[in-house]
Amino acid sequence: MELWERLLKDNFGSAVVDKPKAIKNEIQGLPRYVSEYLLGYFCEDEITEDGLKETNKYIHEHRIDSREKEKFKNSLRINGSLKIIDKFKVKINLGKNKKKPTQMEIPSLGITDAEVNDKVLTDHPRLLIDGLWGMGEIYYDDEEKDIRLINFKPFQLSEIDVDELKGAREQFDSEHWLNTMISTVGLNYENYTRREKLILLSRLIPMVENNVFMMEFGSPGTGKTYVYENISSYSRVISGSKVSGPQLFYNLTTKQDGLLVQYDVLLFDEIDKIQKSGLQEDVSTKLYQYLASGKFDRGGVEKVSECGIMMVGNLPAGYFEQKDLLKNLLHETNTHSAFLDRLAGVVPGWEIKSIGNPNKAYTKNLGFAADYFSEILHKLRRVNYQYILNRIRLEHASTRDVISINKIVNGMIKLVYPDGNLTDEELEEIVGLAVEYRQFVVDQNYRINKDKTFDKQIQYMIIRDM
């Protein structure tokens, strides 16, 4: 065990897992943050054969295969109760004509209108926000023909103390912390230089920073969507253009909030594949409005959100012209000057090697349990390091340049220096990366749109001894 692993275990205890074993024994059909929670529950300090058997037995008894839902429904009808593993989500119905004040989704049973006890909602308010994975005890009233959730055990942590994280971070140097973070997302830190580690972590900026819009392009198989699919319950992956206005913003028929209101960050995957067709027109128009203000309206209904957006795509095989990257990979509706100016930065994913041989690519070390890490990322969205940002001076930078660079820097501090303690040299490293990401956008905007406003080179300096 390496020094940073001992520090991690000593400072974070049960929030740390053996990542190789957790990945190897990942439970199919469940998000990793749920899988690691269950492995941690049954295996405690070490993943053992007996613990795995107990975990698998528990899953087999309570997880419903889509083909078996009618069998489980029949069991519920006959026995009157049932315990199942699922992601439960609740809506509240108000009004004189609403017979049921609560309306709960139980996806594995294909049920959308179950009821839920008030105490369950009081104890687990996230059921009302983006839903929770857990073990639910379902009761069926044959006389009233009602289905009700009467008890619930979440498989996700609900309360995390960020101050404890900040205090423990002081025990690590920056290299040790970078290794911890890279191992946590499932990759082998030994395969990456310090710059590559920072690039990998910058993918997570929209997870910790409100209302930030970024892109990344790189070779297939570098893990661009990996962390969004496996680490956080607050992120959602959208494949290419497979999203409509009602899904993304607000459904006027069902009065249901769209994905932008339900999640911390949305990742648009394979954005390069819609280079010819573009996003749906109503999506593109509203998205443009949202990126400008953090607000949107649909059918007269206005909504505010702090959701970040990440768009990722694969580079074509062989040589690519970096100077014309966005022009070649984005649809023309997403390359006009105002839209690109809303883009905080582009992560240079082309510098990251494909994962390749899993035996060498994936972590061999300890890391944060995914459910703990998910909550930490979410809680860090409420942290601000303005007092550190005050040490930065930018020249030849517009208001949008300043906002974009500050968001990237603020996000990277949360990920690498969450205790807020960093030297001028360490701050300069992060600011340099942020300016580089933003400068790429500025240069692309000038080359595509020939607007002299973007014919500039952003300069920066760190004000020392403030």
Side-chain angles (χ1 to χ4, degrees):
M1 186 179 293
E2 299 191 30
L3 172 61
W4 63 268
E5 292 181 280
R6 289 198 295 270
L7 288 171
L8 193 64
K9 194 66 178 175
D10 289 345
N11 284 278
F12 294 98
S14 61
V16 177
V17 297
D18 184 326
K19 281 290 176 175
K21 287 186 178 180
I23 293 172
K24 181 180 179 180
N25 295 291
E26 190 171 349
I27 302 166
Q28 295 299 314
L30 296 177
R32 180 181 293 171
Y33 53 87
V34 177
S35 175
E36 289 189 7
Y37 178 95
L38 290 171
L39 288 171
Y41 180 81
F42 285 102
C43 299
E44 296 184 355
D45 293 332
E46 185 180 1
I47 297 176
T48 63
E49 184 175 339
D50 288 342
L52 288 172
K53 287 180 179 177
E54 194 173 352
T55 305
N56 289 325
K57 181 174 181 290
Y58 183 79
I59 298 294
H60 178 72
E61 290 175 350
H62 301 293
R63 181 76 170 123
I64 300 175
D65 185 288
S66 60
R67 296 169 299 178
E68 297 181 321
K69 66 180 181 181
E70 298 305 323
K71 184 183 78 171
F72 277 85
K73 282 182 182 179
N74 190 50
S75 175
L76 176 61
R77 179 182 67 86
I78 294 172
N79 299 316
S81 66
L82 185 68
K83 290 184 177 180
I84 62 171
I85 295 171
D86 211 334
K87 184 176 183 180
F88 299 86
K89 186 175 180 180
V90 180
K91 293 190 297 182
I92 300 296
N93 289 325
L94 299 177
K96 296 180 180 178
N97 297 324
K98 303 296 184 182
K99 293 182 179 180
K100 296 182 178 181
T102 59
Q103 220 174 8
M104 184 182 66
E105 297 176 11
I106 311 176
S108 61
L109 290 177
I111 292 171
T112 59
D113 60 349
E115 297 187 72
V116 56
N117 285 359
D118 288 342
K119 187 177 185 307
V120 173
L121 293 181
T122 302
D123 292 342
H124 309 288
R126 272 190 62 189
L127 288 168
L128 293 161
I129 303 173
D130 53 353
L132 277 172
W133 276 93
M135 171 68 81
E137 184 177 357
I138 312 298
Y139 172 77
Y140 177 67
D141 186 329
D142 187 46
E143 187 173 326
E144 296 292 332
K145 307 302 181 186
D146 281 337
I147 299 171
R148 178 180 293 271
L149 178 67
I150 58 174
N151 286 305
F152 181 71
K153 176 180 172 55
F155 292 162
Q156 301 165 228
L157 299 177
S158 56
E159 289 301 324
I160 296 291
D161 189 343
V162 173
D163 289 335
E164 289 183 1
L165 174 85
K166 293 179 180 180
R169 169 63 180 87
E170 295 176 357
Q171 306 298 316
F172 298 73
D173 64 27
S174 65
E175 201 62 45
H176 286 161
W177 190 255
L178 283 173
N179 294 345
T180 296
M181 298 292 276
I182 297 302
S183 184
T184 293
V185 300
L187 298 174
N188 185 349
Y189 77 92
E190 294 178 335
N191 293 338
Y192 303 99
T193 65
R194 181 178 176 89
R195 173 176 168 82
E196 289 170 339
K197 292 173 188 176
L198 291 172
I199 291 173
L200 286 170
L201 286 188
S202 64
R203 292 171 168 174
L204 308 184
I205 290 173
M207 287 189 173
V208 296
E209 190 69 15
N210 295 333
N211 296 108
V212 64
F213 172 37
M214 299 180 71
M215 291 184 183
E216 179 183 355
F217 295 94
S219 300
T222 59
K224 293 185 292 296
T225 63
Y226 185 78
V227 69
Y228 283 82
E229 291 177 321
N230 292 290
I231 293 295
S232 178
S233 61
Y234 296 95
S235 62
R236 174 70 177 265
V237 175
I238 299 169
S239 179
S241 60
K242 294 178 181 178
V243 64
S244 65
Q247 290 174 314
L248 189 61
F249 301 105
Y250 183 75
N251 191 312
L252 294 170
T253 303
T254 64
K255 312 299 181 188
Q256 177 74 31
D257 286 333
L259 299 175
L260 270 177
V261 183
Q262 297 179 41
Y263 290 90
D264 283 353
V265 56
L266 302 180
L267 181 135
F268 287 75
D269 192 16
E270 299 181 328
I271 198 70
D272 55 299
K273 289 189 176 180
I274 59 171
Q275 190 270 339
K276 293 182 179 180
S277 60
L279 296 168
Q280 293 183 20
E281 185 176 353
D282 63 330
V283 169
S284 188
T285 302
K286 295 295 183 188
L287 192 57
Y288 174 79
Q289 175 193 2
Y290 172 72
L291 294 174
S293 62
K295 297 185 291 186
F296 61 86
D297 69 84
R298 193 164 191 275
V301 178
E302 185 175 89
K303 294 286 181 177
V304 177
S305 174
E306 296 179 337
C307 184
I309 291 177
M310 187 76 170
M311 293 185 175
V312 301
N314 290 325
L315 294 173
Y319 177 77
F320 74 98
E321 280 282 353
Q322 193 177 117
K323 66 179 182 179
D324 294 322
L325 184 68
L326 298 187
K327 180 180 179 181
N328 292 335
L329 294 180
L330 297 180
H331 187 262
E332 59 183 8
T333 57
N334 302 129
T335 58
H336 57 78
S337 178
F339 185 87
L340 289 183
D341 202 26
R342 286 156 171 73
L343 179 59
V346 173
V347 178
W350 49 85
E351 294 187 28
I352 304 299
K353 303 177 289 292
S354 294
I355 289 176
N357 185 344
N359 293 327
K360 296 181 179 179
Y362 295 128
T363 181
K364 303 173 183 177
N365 305 93
L366 301 180
F368 287 124
D371 59 325
Y372 175 84
F373 193 56
S374 172
E375 292 302 321
I376 282 294
L377 295 177
H378 176 68
K379 296 289 185 182
L380 284 172
R381 294 175 75 83
R382 294 286 172 254
V383 178
N384 188 282
Y385 295 99
Q386 185 60 51
Y387 66 95
I388 299 177
L389 301 180
N390 291 338
R391 293 158 58 186
I392 305 169
R393 291 291 180 270
L394 298 171
E395 295 182 3
H396 312 301
S398 68
T399 300
R400 284 199 185 278
D401 294 331
V402 173
I403 292 172
S404 296
I405 291 168
N406 281 348
K407 281 183 174 291
I408 294 173
V409 173
N410 202 47
M412 287 301 288
I413 293 173
K414 295 175 186 181
L415 293 166
V416 187
Y417 306 97
D419 57 345
N421 296 324
L422 64 168
T423 65
D424 289 332
E425 289 72 23
E426 289 169 333
L427 178 58
E428 187 168 4
E429 178 182 48
I430 287 177
V431 174
L433 198 70
V435 171
E436 176 190 331
Y437 288 9
R438 178 60 183 179
Q439 184 68 52
F440 187 89
V441 174
V442 170
D443 292 344
Q444 295 282 307
N445 210 341
Y446 177 64
R447 290 191 183 104
I448 293 171
N449 297 296
K450 311 303 180 186
D451 185 339
K452 292 189 178 295
T453 305
F454 302 102
D455 184 15
K456 61 186 177 183
Q457 192 71 31
I458 301 172
Q459 304 291 326
Y460 68 92
M461 64 180 296
I462 307 301
I463 306 300
R464 301 174 186 272
D465 300 322
M466 286 191 67

